[in-house]
Amino acid sequence: MSPLTHCPADTLVVLDFETTGLSPNQGDRAIEIGAVKLHRGEVVDRFSQLMNPGFRVSGFIESYTGITNGMLAGAPGCGEVMAAFADFIDGCNLVAHNASFDQRFLDAELAAIGRDYAGDFVCSMLLARRLYPDAPNHKLGSLVAYRGIRHDGVFHRALADAQMTADLWLAMLADLASGRDMTTPHFALLKKLSRTPKAQLTRVLASLD
DNA sequence: TGCCAGGCCCTCTTTAGGGCCTT
């Protein structure tokens, strides 16, 4: 059976975690997952859920995310939420901003419940560094402003950040498609571009023409 | 008591160091 049997190749999930800190290896856990499922550039589904990590989050995290210990007290545990999320992604390819961060938490939280995923990860930040080298910086909020993407002013909440990342992804796809036949998702191509050394980028982009 | 991430990228590099980005 193909790993993408349940999730077509032209469907991908853009996701974002809010967490208790920076490293699952240091005991940090996820506290919120938000995701937008895109099919041929259109939003077809969303996933948004707080989850209780089993301990109190720091004041910094409460302030940074707006997610309070009170909000988490009534939330389901990480295992229950992540099981549902594993069903949601179900073989889809995945996109996140600074994907190495979200991938670490996805790996850790799914491993904790004996689940896995089959899709491939691409990092929107690495791709943005290639496509927008003149941006002030490559933080998600800065890129959204740089590219003129509309948003609702909510930052550092999982679904809002996932939606902005999805919009940034589609904007980058549109910029790449300018003058090119890019009617298909080209997920593998975008992953290749995001990891192309700077010195080779011009040649790779030229190969698309 | 003090410390505590990790992958990618650039450069004053490659026998390394430091900034960026995520919470």
Side-chain angles (χ1 to χ4, degrees), chain A residues 36-54:
Chain A
V36 175
K37 186 175 285 184
L38 299 176
H39 177 72
R40 296 181 180 272
E42 299 290 333
V43 177
V44 294
D45 205 355
R46 290 184 172 88
F47 189 102
S48 179
Q49 183 63 58
L50 290 170
M51 58 190 113
N52 190 326

Side-chain angles (χ1 to χ4, degrees), chain A residues 30-112:
Chain A
I31 58 174
E32 187 179 42
I33 178 68
V36 175
K37 186 175 285 184
L38 299 176
H39 177 72
R40 296 181 180 272
E42 299 290 333
V43 177
V44 294
D45 205 355
R46 290 184 172 88
F47 189 102
S48 179
Q49 183 63 58
L50 290 170
M51 58 190 113
N52 190 326
F55 55 88
R56 292 181 64 81
V57 303
S58 68
F60 170 79
I61 292 298
E62 285 189 312
S63 175
Y64 187 80
T65 64
I67 299 170
T68 66
N69 282 294
M71 293 163 67
L72 295 173
C78 295
E80 178 181 341
V81 173
M82 292 308 299
F85 189 65
D87 293 337
F88 180 80
I89 59 178
D90 194 24
C92 287
N93 286 325
L94 306 168
V95 172
H97 200 68
N98 197 15
S100 65
F101 173 86
D102 293 279
Q103 186 169 13
R104 283 199 301 276
F105 279 94
L106 182 63
D107 290 350
E109 294 293 353
L110 291 185

Side-chain angles (χ1 to χ4, degrees), chain A residues 132-149:
Chain A
Y132 309 131
D134 296 330
N137 58 60
H138 297 89
K139 296 177 183 178
L140 178 59
S142 299
L143 289 165
V144 165
Y146 179 78
R147 191 54 182 71
I149 293 169

Side-chain angles (χ1 to χ4, degrees), chain A residues 163-175:
Chain A
Q163 181 65 60
M164 283 189 287
T165 303
D167 290 338
L168 173 64
W169 176 264
L170 293 175
M172 291 193 291
L173 195 66
D175 287 345

